[in-house]
Amino acid sequence: MNIDLMKSSICRSFLTVALPLVIAGLGLGQTLTVRDIMAEPSIAGMRVEGEKLSPDGTKVVYLWNPEGMLPRSLYLVSTAGGEPTKLLSPSDLPPPTRPPEKENKLDYGLVLRDEFVKARENQLGNFEWSPDSKRLLFSHGGDLYILTLGEAKPRRFTKTQSPETGARFLDNDRILFSQSGHLFVWDLKNTMLTQLTREANPQNFIGVFGGVPNKAGSMIAYVVSDSSKNKALVVPNYLDEFVAANPTRRGWTEQKVMVTPADGSRDTPFEIKLPKPEGVSSIRRMVWASDNASLIVDRIDKDTKRRTLFYVHGVGSKSEKIIPIIEETDDKWQASLSNIFEPNPKNPNELFFVSEKDGYGHLYLARLESLDGDSTAETQRRRGSEAETRVVSSVPADRNARVAEGPAGFSDKVTITQLTKGPWQVEWAKWNNDKGIVFASTQGTGIQNHVYPAYAERQLYLYRTGENDVVRLSIGNGMKTGFQLSDEPPLLVLYEGSAWNHPGELYVQRASGADAASPATITKLTTTVPAAFHKLKWTEPSFLLAIFSRDGKKIPAKIYLPPNFKANAKKKYPMVIFVHGAGYLQNVINGWNNYYREFMFNDMLAKKGYVVLDIDYRGSAGYGRDWRTDVYDFLGGKDYDDHIDSIDHMVKNYNVNAAKVGAYGGSYGGFMAAMLAMRAPDKIAAAAALRPVFDWKNYYAANPGYTAQRLGFPDKNPEAYKRSSPITYADKLERPLLILHGMNDDNVHVQDSIQLMEKLIRLGKTQYFEAMLYPSENHAFVRPESWTDEYERILAFFEKHLK
């Protein structure tokens, strides 16, 4: 399809006609209501999803609906700029197949599958480009389709009862996908289907996942996972005629790494015999080296305290060799950033990885030494090409034997060089072919008199391996996230850019060349925010740089102040603390994030006369290893202290009424709000806990990885679980607590809230808590009616107890 011809066909409307009129009718000075904030379509518009940069770097596809409602349609835009074109809508395809619904003459009750549910069932997703950038593979209703650019309709390739997942192109003519737990390859040219794996056994809880192909599409690595020792997590559904529950299994699994040719030429796969792990372990990532015959495997073990990168040289050959690239231990737990690593796309003896060994996540370069001492890029490229020919084309007489020859060998010597350094961390990185490594970090903007602290933004940089230096690529302020890099010149990086009051839009930027950081190299691809949104007057957060904790550390914070606030006036203000979720997340940012509803709610609170405080307490992301791990062994320890110290700072410096301080938050934020209400009655007047963790042993059962990282294992460290769980302090509650929880929550099970409510009832604490359960909602609420009910309750709760 010609990009120039497509520019004229864009649907130019952003939202329905009614929505801008509603916003305009509010007036610039009028405070929005909770219903306005939580409405769908959102007053902030709809963000794009599923964006994919084509391998040749010339175009981007994404999902979006100009009316701001689900389902989303597929759009295509040139990276040279111009108007996007709508390629496909779900209504263009057959509706998803569902079991026939029984006729119900008693139809006066709850409608289970209303229009809201149907719109979410009928979605496009999982778009993948073909290597030649001419076709798109995607799923709809659990089946696979291919859309060839320039053709009117996509071609449907499957129509099955079980859904196909994880589909991707191996090359222009072959597709790898998973169905019923097994990996398959579909040869489009020869219309042949090949089953690659046979290990999956749902009855015995054996699964297959991963399916990582090498660049040549000749070998597939995958993980066989045994979850037979897991426990069932039951989440009842109370909405149907009869209560039903489909249990999911949670816990630690036993894993094996397997590799098999993509042509099905082996009866059994190669098993990579990694050293036996100690304690619980998991395979986090697998990536093929540029020789297409060697695999890099990232594993954590020692109960999440050790991380090892293995270089498996010559997989499946008689010369197969496992070389540890790096082995690091942390007496607390390994950071998620440590799973960032990439092999050099031109040189199989090089890879970079991220390590926190100096306290911050930084780039390191590892070089393997060949057995003859020659590790030059040209020699390794030649050897890699020869090795690929030998391994792939040499099919032994015994279909289960090792291949006779493998690639040229490496010694056990690995040379490691640190590439970046400083009190900031790398959070994304990719090789930029011969130019070096493109990365995003918290390093800062370098702009003079910049009002935002460095950690509040993400910028792009290029580490130039030839010059051994770093140059900045991105310009302007704000967050850059969601990066993708094209395969071919001109090398482009796709990202979403945003600021505190500017929702994210897609941009592309040249990632090489002397002028890479000039404005001319950056192209904005989307405009998704209604003009009326920008006319609303928002409360700009102020970033505080000098809240000191009791142990001498600076607590990152931002505050929202009421109109006409005067720090030295006699008036005392009520204050609300918003506690972000996840524990390991950053919210003190100059960017638009998942908490956009809370941003608008905080704006509302400020305009109603509240000071609103938002801190990145201990454990939050973005501040290095020590800040991340300071919560180890006691959730509600130093992170709790940070909130208490911040309250004291605000009372002292911002005319906050010490007797009128409230807190609210969801998930980990709900946990912390409850801890504050129960343990700090002299500091907190009221707290609202949304989908909260009240007992960490429950969360260990549902999400053992997250919990064990921070608290160890319940049987080995029971005191840590006891002191970290709000239910332990239920008898101390003497301030109002509002509990709000989705009954369909499979992350933080509703049992946490129910158990605390029962304990409070038995303790005679009924007068101190209110509760509301949401039968249709999971951990992340989706219905605007639920969001509205939840936050209207929170607002009324604060107005009652803090005013």
Side-chain angles (χ1 to χ4, degrees):
M1 182 178 290
N2 189 301
I3 297 294
D4 292 330
L5 293 178
M6 294 187 294
K7 294 179 181 178
S8 62
S9 62
I10 178 66
C11 175
R12 296 178 183 272
S13 65
F14 295 115
L15 294 174
T16 57
V17 175
L19 185 58
L21 294 176
V22 169
I23 298 176
L26 290 169
L28 298 183
Q30 183 171 337
T31 303
L32 297 168
T33 67
V34 171
R35 196 164 296 275
D36 295 327
I37 291 171
M38 305 301 170
E40 189 175 300
S42 171
I43 60 176
M46 172 182 274
R47 309 285 68 76
V48 304
E49 283 192 357
E51 60 271 16
K52 283 293 175 71
L53 176 65
S54 62
D56 65 5
T58 64
K59 44 195 170 286
V60 174
V61 292
Y62 58 85
L63 292 167
W64 183 58
N65 186 334
E67 295 182 352
M69 302 286 286
L70 292 179
R72 292 177 170 89
S73 297
L74 177 68
Y75 286 79
L76 174 72
V77 64
S78 167
T79 54
E83 298 288 356
T85 295
K86 185 167 77 171
L87 293 181
L88 186 68
S89 293
S91 59
D92 299 330
L93 302 174
T97 303
R98 290 186 53 84
E101 297 183 14
K102 294 184 292 185
E103 182 182 4
N104 183 9
K105 294 182 180 180
L106 301 174
D107 59 357
Y108 52 81
L110 181 69
V111 177
L112 296 183
R113 294 186 62 248
D114 59 7
E115 294 305 313
F116 186 89
V117 171
K118 291 177 181 177
R120 278 155 173 74
E121 293 173 345
N122 187 27
Q123 295 196 68
L124 307 171
N126 308 309
F127 284 86
E128 295 288 342
W129 284 101
S130 59
D132 62 7
S133 301
K134 295 180 179 179
R135 291 183 291 177
L136 284 163
L137 172 67
F138 67 96
S139 64
H140 177 252
D143 290 316
L144 298 180
Y145 293 76
I146 292 181
L147 175 64
T148 301
L149 298 187
E151 294 185 1
K153 290 187 176 182
R155 180 181 173 189
R156 186 176 189 170
F157 276 85
T158 63
K159 189 178 181 181
T160 56
Q161 183 176 1
S162 298
E164 287 75 37
T165 60
R168 73 207 76 177
F169 283 98
L170 291 178
D171 53 39
N172 292 319
D173 297 313
R174 294 179 302 149
I175 294 171
L176 174 70
F177 66 90
S178 176
Q179 202 253 23
S180 298
H182 294 292
L183 294 175
F184 295 84
V185 171
W186 187 292
D187 189 321
L188 304 175
K189 184 179 291 185
N190 300 314
T191 62
M192 184 174 74
L193 184 66
T194 302
Q195 182 173 340
L196 298 183
T197 65
R198 291 172 171 79
E199 295 92 340
N201 187 328
Q203 289 75 25
N204 293 332
F205 308 107
I206 307 296
V208 169
F209 69 91
V212 180
N214 61 8
K215 190 173 180 64
S218 58
M219 300 286 280
I220 311 294
Y222 60 95
V223 172
V224 177
S225 179
D226 182 348
S227 61
S228 59
K229 296 179 181 178
N230 288 7
K231 295 182 179 180
L233 176 70
V234 178
V235 183
N237 179 0
Y238 293 95
L239 298 180
D240 210 342
E241 184 177 1
F242 298 101
V243 176
N246 294 316
T248 59
R249 299 182 67 80
R250 304 288 173 86
W252 302 101
T253 62
E254 297 179 2
Q255 301 175 341
K256 295 188 292 186
V257 177
M258 316 296 284
V259 175
T260 192
D263 60 4
S265 59
R266 286 185 63 86
D267 295 328
T268 59
F270 302 111
E271 180 181 353
I272 296 177
K273 299 283 190 178
L274 297 175
K276 187 176 180 180
E278 298 179 49
V280 299
S281 67
S282 63
I283 304 298
R284 297 197 294 179
R285 283 187 68 210
M286 301 183 295
V287 180
W288 289 90
S290 62
D291 64 2
N292 288 306
S294 300
L295 185 69
I296 304 164
V297 181
D298 172 34
R299 187 182 74 185
I300 58 169
D301 67 338
K302 278 194 172 180
D303 300 345
T304 76
K305 291 178 169 55
R306 177 167 65 186
R307 165 270 195 115
T308 310
L309 273 180
F310 298 100
Y311 189 100
V312 186
H313 156 77
V315 172
S317 71
K318 290 186 176 179
S319 58
E320 179 181 288
K321 182 179 181 180
I322 298 175
I323 304 168
I325 297 292
I326 185 172
E327 179 178 293
E328 292 183 316
T329 58
D330 190 306
D331 59 355
K332 295 180 178 177
W333 81 91
Q334 288 293 326
S336 57
L337 292 178
S338 66
N339 74 354
I340 299 174
F341 67 91
E342 293 291 333
N344 188 321
K346 300 290 184 68
N347 187 351
N349 81 320
E350 276 191 354
L351 68 145
F352 72 73
F353 61 89
V354 168
S355 169
E356 281 186 335
K357 66 166 58 178
D358 73 351
Y360 292 88
H362 280 294
L363 290 173
Y364 293 77
L365 183 69
R367 288 189 176 96
L368 287 82
E369 181 185 70
S370 63
L371 289 175
D372 60 8
D374 190 350
S375 61
T376 63
E378 180 57 37
T379 301
Q380 295 304 324
R381 279 197 294 269
R382 174 176 53 78
R383 287 173 174 164
S385 177
E386 294 170 354
E388 170 62 16
T389 301
R390 290 196 299 270
V391 171
V392 174
S393 63
S394 177
V395 179
D398 181 353
R399 289 167 59 88
N400 297 325
R402 293 276 171 171
V403 176
E405 294 185 66
F410 293 111
S411 71
D412 292 325
K413 181 179 179 181
V414 179
T415 302
I416 295 176
T417 305
Q418 185 170 355
L419 303 182
T420 62
K421 190 175 181 63
W424 46 271
Q425 63 186 34
V426 173
E427 297 189 345
W428 173 88
K430 290 284 183 182
W431 284 97
N432 188 358
N433 285 352
D434 294 330
K435 303 297 182 182
I437 302 168
V438 179
F439 66 93
S441 77
T442 60
Q443 185 173 356
T445 63
I447 298 175
Q448 297 297 319
N449 300 319
H450 186 40
V451 297
Y452 303 108
Y455 58 72
E457 302 190 345
R458 299 296 183 272
Q459 303 294 340
L460 277 169
Y461 301 86
L462 173 65
Y463 179 88
R464 300 188 294 185
T465 51
E467 291 78 6
N468 195 32
D469 65 359
V470 174
V471 295
R472 184 176 164 203
L473 295 180
S474 57
I475 63 173
N477 307 137
M479 292 288 289
K480 280 80 175 174
T481 57
F483 307 97
Q484 297 176 33
L485 199 63
S486 64
D487 292 339
E488 302 295 337
L491 285 159
L492 293 175
V493 61
L494 171 73
Y495 62 86
E496 179 181 289
S498 68
W500 69 270
N501 60 344
H502 290 278
E505 303 285 7
L506 294 183
Y507 296 80
V508 289
Q509 178 179 348
R510 190 176 305 143
S512 60
D515 60 343
S518 71
T521 67
I522 299 174
T523 303
K524 184 181 179 183
L525 300 183
T526 62
T527 302
T528 62
V529 183
F533 175 82
H534 292 301
K535 295 179 180 179
L536 294 169
K537 184 176 178 60
W538 300 104
T539 304
E540 181 174 2
S542 298
F543 288 78
L544 304 184
L545 303 178
I547 295 183
F548 284 94
S549 66
R550 64 193 64 188
D551 57 355
K553 295 185 178 181
K554 290 184 179 180
I555 304 169
K558 60 183 178 183
I559 59 173
Y560 302 82
L561 296 174
N564 304 316
F565 173 85
K566 294 182 180 180
N568 298 321
K570 293 183 179 180
K571 179 180 179 180
K572 294 291 185 179
Y573 296 87
M575 184 174 79
V576 170
I577 305 171
F578 168 62
V579 189
H580 72 67
Y584 188 59
L585 180 147
Q586 185 181 8
N587 207 50
V588 181
I589 61 171
N590 176 27
W592 194 256
N593 60 27
N594 290 331
Y595 290 115
Y596 68 93
R597 294 182 183 88
E598 286 77 3
F599 157 69
M600 292 189 282
F601 186 69
N602 291 339
D603 167 81
M604 175 189 297
L605 290 173
K607 289 172 179 172
K608 286 182 175 293
Y610 296 87
V611 172
V612 182
L613 175 67
D614 183 353
I615 72 170
D616 278 337
Y617 50 85
R618 222 69 63 95
S620 297
Y623 308 103
R625 185 262 176 193
D626 289 348
W627 195 266
R628 172 179 67 83
T629 60
D630 265 351
V631 296
Y632 182 74
D633 201 44
F634 190 2
L635 301 176
K638 290 185 178 180
D639 48 354
Y640 169 90
D641 292 341
D642 288 344
H643 283 90
I644 299 300
D645 295 340
S646 297
I647 292 170
D648 292 343
H649 176 89
M650 298 300 292
V651 169
K652 180 179 180 181
N653 296 282
Y654 284 87
N655 276 28
V656 168
N657 185 340
K660 297 293 182 179
V661 176
Y664 83 99
S667 196
Y668 197 97
F671 149 75
M672 183 57 65
M675 286 291 255
L676 289 166
M678 294 177 183
R679 293 172 52 200
D682 59 328
K683 303 288 185 180
I684 294 292
L690 296 66
R691 49 198 179 275
V693 176
F694 285 142
D695 190 336
W696 284 103
K697 72 174 181 290
N698 291 341
Y699 199 67
Y700 176 84
N703 293 276
Y706 179 98
T707 317
Q709 286 176 337
R710 292 155 175 81
L711 296 177
F713 294 79
D715 58 336
K716 298 177 182 178
N717 198 11
E719 284 304 312
Y721 279 78
K722 181 179 180 180
R723 63 174 166 260
S724 299
S725 297
I727 199 169
T728 302
Y729 309 96
D731 63 326
K732 308 295 184 186
L733 183 65
E734 52 187 65
R735 292 290 184 266
L737 176 65
L738 175 62
I739 302 169
L740 304 160
H741 213 132
M743 295 177 70
N744 201 30
D745 195 333
D746 61 1
N747 180 17
V748 180
H749 201 292
V750 72
Q751 75 181 98
D752 272 57
S753 290
I754 291 172
Q755 288 173 358
L756 179 64
M757 286 188 275
E758 177 63 18
K759 186 168 184 178
L760 291 173
I761 292 169
R762 295 183 184 187
L763 288 169
K765 298 282 185 177
T766 306
Q767 71 271 32
Y768 294 124
F769 81 91
E770 304 172 33
M772 178 62 186
L773 303 179
Y774 297 86
S776 68
E777 298 294 356
N778 203 313
H779 196 61
F781 283 23
V782 293
R783 288 181 174 269
E785 302 89 351
S786 300
W787 281 104
T788 299
D789 182 271
E790 185 177 45
Y791 277 80
E792 285 183 338
R793 290 176 188 273
I794 296 171
L795 180 60
F797 182 72
F798 286 151
E799 291 283 87
K800 177 181 178 181
H801 296 292
L802 301 182
K803 284 291 186 72

